């Protein structure tokens, strides 16, 4: 049986942009449907930020327990109960998801439809509902927020072995003896260090010459040094050429600086990127054509080539961060409900890599600024020279800031150190307020805090 319904707006996907957008549209008096085929909250709540950072926290506790003697504290043997770690993660995810579902249910004029949508025309949809009934929807505006999922690399033999991705690896009940990680981006590094701290042997295979290949060389090299110190094997400039089953796990064939070799592991984690959830949307029926990677193309106002159809979040490509998705929601509500004219053109894209110590990043890196021909000054400070970091025995990493040599404005920063993400956010606030670096150099910060390191950082420019 197929029911036909008309709405003012339909949002496809209950992710971190889609949920608040649907609530805002309904709150503005527009009858709105929110279609979700899996679970409310999108990647962030269910398979991304929330569960991974919950596991990172458990891994850090294990790490600190093993370091207890460094602080003069005696402990016994440290053991990780992975099923209990997993249940803690599941409980937090369920709580966050329930909060989103509650906000949707409380909003008058908003219908949550459980099912999968596909276009049948520019602004019409067919929905295969979870209850088995079909549904036909028409709306003046349609917003695509279907996100992305982990990509499995086209590696010869990969269909013959069990492959973990960033979702399934968090459901393991038994600790891997030797985890092989394909990919040296932030996902691979976070899981690699996490499982090393849980007790696994870990090898990370990275095709390029450095991890985190978008970072400055000195930042990437410092990250590599920290991971090696933690006991992680790094295979840089190494490509995987094939994989096959082996006794007790997998045999990964790689080609690196020393030629071809084989790595034997108990588990294989693919952390080589993400692919958009667009292939089942019926985009052609709407008059939409994705780019060569499957992402939906939009302009700076998040408009597609079809009037009345918008895309937000990971499905449109670009930086795949929750805060970007949420800002997409704010752009759309400002323009469509408040008469604004916001765009994605000039927004900053800060991010943090939740290895330990954290890497916080904002603005231009040194290499990027020099490539643009800018006149810059670069300030660096080892965390080993920060009093607070030494007091808590967390001296690894360094701070780095790039400033305009003519205006003294901060152009960007990388903070690899304890609470690096929070320190980066302080520098971002200074950039937003156009506070010149001497103001931070000369500021009176409470002692002993990490923030007072800015005094020393901005007094340390290279000649």
């Amino acid at each position: 049986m197929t029911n036909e319904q008309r709405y003012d707006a339909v949002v496809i996907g209950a992710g971190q942009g889609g949920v608040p957008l649907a609530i805002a549209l309904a709150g503005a008096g527009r009858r709105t449907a929110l279609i979700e085929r899996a679970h409310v909250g999108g990647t962030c709540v269910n398979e991304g930020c929330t569960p991974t950072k919950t596991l990172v926290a458990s891994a850090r506790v294990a790490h600190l327990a093993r370091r207890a003697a460094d602080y003069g504290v005696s402990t016994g043997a440290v053991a990780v109960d992975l099923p209990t770690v997993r249940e803690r993660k599941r409980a937090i995810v369920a709580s966050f998801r329930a909060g989103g579902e509650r906000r949707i249910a409380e909003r008058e004029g908003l219908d949550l439809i459980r099912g999968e949508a596909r276009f049948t025309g520019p602004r019409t949809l067919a929905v295969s509902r979870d209850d088995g009934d079909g549904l036909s929807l028409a709306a003046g505006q349609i917003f695509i927020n279907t996100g992305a999922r982990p990509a499995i690399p086209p590696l010869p033999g990969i269909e013959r072995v069990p492959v973990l991705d960033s979702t399934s690896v968090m459901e393991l009940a038994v600790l891997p003896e030797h985890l092989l990680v394909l990919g040296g981006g932030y996902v691979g590094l976070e899981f690699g260090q996490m499982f090393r701290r849980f007790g696994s042997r870990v090898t990370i295979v990275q095709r390029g010459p450095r991890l985190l290949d978008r970072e400055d060389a000195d930042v990437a090299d410092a990250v590599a040094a920290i991971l090696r110190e933690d006991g992680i094997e790094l295979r840089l400039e190494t490509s995987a050429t094939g994989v096959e089953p082996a006794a007790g796990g997998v045999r990964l064939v790689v080609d690196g600086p020393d030629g071809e070799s084989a790595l034997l592991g108990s588990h294989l984690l693919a952390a080589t990127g993400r692919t958009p959830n667009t292939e089942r949307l019926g985009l052609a029926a709407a008059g939409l054509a994705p780019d060569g990677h499957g992402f939906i193309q939009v302009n700076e106002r998040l408009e597609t080539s079809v009037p009345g159809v918008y895309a937000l979040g990971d499905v449109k490509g670009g930086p795949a961060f929750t805060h970007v998705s949420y800002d997409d929601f704010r752009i759309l509500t400002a323009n469509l409900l408040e008469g604004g004219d916001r765009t994605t053109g000039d927004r900053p894209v800060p991010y943090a890599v939740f290895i330990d110590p954290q890497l916080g990043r904002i603005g231009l890196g040194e290499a990027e600024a020099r490539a643009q021909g800018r006149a810059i000054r670069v300030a660096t400070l080892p965390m080993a020279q920060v009093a607070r970091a030494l007091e808590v025995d967390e001296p690894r990493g360094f701070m780095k800031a790039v400033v305009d040599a003519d205006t003294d404005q901060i152009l960007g920063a990388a903070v690899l150190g304890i609470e690096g993400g929070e320190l980066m956010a302080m520098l971002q606030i200074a950039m937003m307020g156009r506070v010149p670096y001497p103001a931070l150099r000369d500021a009176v910060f409470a002692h002993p805090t990490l923030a007072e390191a800015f005094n020393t950082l901005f007094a340390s420019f290279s000649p």
Side-chain angles (χ1 to χ4, degrees):
M1 177 179 178
T2 300
N3 299 312
E4 296 184 356
Q5 297 188 31
R6 174 167 289 277
Y7 287 87
D8 297 314
V10 173
V11 180
I12 310 173
Q16 291 299 292
V19 170
L21 176 61
I23 291 173
L25 291 168
R30 303 189 184 188
R31 186 177 181 230
T32 303
L34 176 60
I35 305 170
E36 175 54 50
R37 72 177 184 182
H39 32 229
V40 168
T43 296
C44 178
V45 166
N46 297 285
E47 296 103 15
C49 318
T50 298
T52 58
K53 279 48 181 181
T54 300
L55 295 176
V56 164
S58 294
R60 177 166 168 75
V61 170
H63 172 68
L64 289 175
R66 294 188 184 97
R67 291 191 60 209
D70 295 345
Y71 298 88
V73 177
S74 299
T75 62
V78 176
V80 173
D81 183 346
L82 201 58
T84 300
V85 170
R86 184 182 62 182
E87 287 308 310
R88 174 177 174 271
K89 180 265 298 183
R90 287 176 173 175
I92 293 174
V93 168
S95 173
F96 281 27
R97 185 190 302 159
E101 293 172 342
R102 184 170 58 253
R103 291 193 300 274
I104 293 168
E106 291 171 350
R107 174 58 70 187
E108 185 177 352
L110 175 57
D111 296 333
L112 176 61
I113 300 172
R114 301 281 187 172
E116 184 169 11
R118 62 177 174 83
F119 283 94
T120 56
R123 283 180 298 280
T124 57
L125 298 164
V127 182
S128 300
R129 296 200 303 191
D130 290 354
D131 60 12
D133 285 343
L135 188 64
S136 178
L137 304 182
Q141 294 175 324
I142 295 180
F143 304 86
I144 305 170
N145 182 227
T146 51
R149 64 187 185 277
I152 301 300
L155 187 63
I158 201 163
E159 71 283 351
R160 300 172 53 210
V161 300
V163 181
L164 297 167
D165 60 29
S166 57
T167 300
S168 58
V169 72
M170 293 189 289
E171 291 301 313
L172 291 176
V174 177
L175 192 67
E177 179 182 344
H178 183 190
L179 180 64
L180 304 178
V181 181
L182 286 178
Y186 69 90
V187 173
L189 301 194
E190 288 182 8
F191 279 112
Q193 187 185 55
M194 176 197 306
F195 277 92
R196 177 62 187 149
R197 290 181 166 188
F198 285 154
S200 299
R201 179 185 169 195
V202 175
T203 300
I204 297 176
V205 178
Q206 166 72 339
R207 185 187 314 174
R210 289 187 171 89
L211 305 173
L212 300 174
D213 55 13
R214 295 185 180 180
E215 304 299 332
D216 284 338
D218 54 352
V219 175
D221 290 346
V223 169
I226 287 170
L227 295 180
R228 288 190 177 107
E229 183 182 350
D230 284 358
I232 295 173
E233 180 184 7
L234 302 179
R235 295 290 191 100
L236 304 180
E237 296 184 272
T238 300
S239 298
T241 59
V243 64
E244 62 186 12
V250 298
R251 179 178 182 270
L252 182 68
V253 180
V254 299
D255 188 12
D258 298 324
E260 189 173 273
S261 61
L263 302 175
L264 297 178
S266 60
H267 295 72
L268 177 65
L269 168 63
T272 54
R274 297 177 68 79
T275 189
N277 296 318
T278 54
E279 71 277 7
R280 293 163 62 176
L281 279 174
L283 295 178
L288 292 170
D291 69 13
H293 300 285
F295 293 101
I296 296 175
Q297 302 172 76
V298 297
N299 62 18
E300 291 188 343
R301 293 171 59 88
L302 304 176
E303 299 164 331
T304 70
S305 58
V306 176
V309 180
Y310 305 79
L312 66 159
D314 297 354
V315 75
K316 71 183 191 311
F321 299 124
T322 292
H323 43 284
V324 170
S325 297
Y326 190 78
D327 193 57
D328 288 348
F329 141 70
R330 294 188 296 194
I331 289 172
L332 289 170
T333 54
N335 294 346
L336 299 177
L337 300 181
E338 300 164 9
D341 189 26
R342 284 199 57 192
T343 74
T344 61
D346 58 354
R347 68 179 171 192
V349 183
Y351 59 90
V353 183
F354 286 86
I355 53 173
D356 185 19
Q358 296 170 15
L359 171 61
R361 279 281 285 111
I362 179 65
L364 296 178
E366 178 183 359
E368 187 178 7
R370 294 195 188 282
Q372 293 180 7
R374 291 176 176 262
I376 62 171
R377 302 178 71 193
V378 179
T380 60
L381 178 69
M383 296 303 293
Q385 295 181 19
V386 178
R388 181 62 178 167
L390 292 171
E391 289 159 359
V392 297
D393 202 9
E394 295 286 355
R396 301 196 294 179
F398 72 107
M399 305 172 69
K400 179 178 182 179
V402 178
V403 305
D404 188 289
D406 298 321
T407 66
D408 291 345
Q409 292 294 316
I410 303 169
L411 300 176
V415 183
L416 175 63
I418 179 175
E419 298 298 347
E422 305 297 334
L423 289 169
M424 173 274 292
M426 294 183 66
L427 293 173
Q428 180 185 355
I429 292 171
M431 293 168 64
M432 292 167 62
R434 299 194 61 78
V435 176
Y437 84 83
L440 298 182
R441 179 195 62 197
D442 302 333
V444 178
F445 295 106
H447 175 80
T449 62
L450 293 169
E452 68 176 348
F454 295 141
N455 296 151
T456 309
L457 171 67
F458 289 113
S460 68
F461 285 104
S462 302

